[in-house]
Amino acid sequence: MNADPRILESLGWLATMPQEFRSDVLGGCELIECAAGRRIYEHGGEADGVYGVLEGRVGLSSIAPDGSMYLSYIGGRGFWLGLATFLKRPRRFMAESRSHCALLFLSASRIKEICADKPLYWKHFFILTNHN
């Protein structure tokens, strides 16, 4: 899979942001490829960053009151997940690739670094929490 990170500049939340912000976000991301069925993160795990879907599908599952997992959402190209990162709380969902996927990972530490240099960027990340 040869996914081009620039795909996300024209899809979803990131496409609505200023060019400089888009460049800074993409420049801080790490490309991750995963096979179908791979856990991306666990429910209750540390919220250590956000993921943008370049290719494939990612399923988000929640825990029902009886403790069973149920599929809540499937996101594709342009979808961002891992928003618990901004709440500084454990992850509320389990994320798993539903097909072969290419993801961009932007770590929480990198988010803090780019926002320290450009505090207005927090506003752009806030918009992400309300976009998906």
Side-chain angles (χ1 to χ4, degrees), residues 1 3 34 53-59 74-79 96-103:
M1 186 174 280
C34 48
V53 180
L54 287 173
E55 297 287 340
R57 300 251 183 256
V58 173
I74 297 176
R77 187 186 279 186
F79 178 70
E96 183 176 71
S97 57
R98 307 287 289 182
S99 64
H100 186 87
C101 287
L103 308 170

Side-chain angles (χ1 to χ4, degrees), residues 64-85:
D66 66 2
S68 62
M69 296 290 285
Y70 66 93
L71 184 63
S72 302
Y73 188 81
I74 297 176
R77 187 186 279 186
F79 178 70
W80 288 80
L81 58 147
L83 307 184
T85 298

Side-chain angles (χ1 to χ4, degrees), residues 84-129:
T85 298
F86 301 110
L87 302 174
K88 299 181 182 177
R89 294 185 177 168
R91 298 208 186 267
R92 295 179 51 213
F93 298 94
M94 184 271 293
E96 183 176 71
S97 57
R98 307 287 289 182
S99 64
H100 186 87
C101 287
L103 308 170
L104 287 184
F105 175 68
L106 183 62
S107 70
S109 61
R110 184 68 186 125
I111 291 169
K112 288 177 187 172
E113 287 173 13
I114 64 176
C115 288
D117 292 339
K118 299 171 183 169
L120 180 61
Y121 280 10
W122 284 117
K123 176 183 171 186
H124 301 319
F125 284 113
F126 174 76
I127 292 169
L128 171 59
T129 66

Side-chain angles (χ1 to χ4, degrees), residues 12-26:
W13 158 76
L14 196 58
T16 68
M17 297 294 114
Q19 179 59 47
E20 182 180 13
F21 177 77
R22 294 193 311 253
S23 295
D24 288 346
V25 166
L26 293 178

Side-chain angles (χ1 to χ4, degrees), residues 32-46:
I32 298 171
E33 291 197 25
C34 48
R38 177 181 166 196
R39 292 268 170 103
I40 298 163
Y41 56 76
E42 297 287 339
H43 175 271
E46 178 187 0

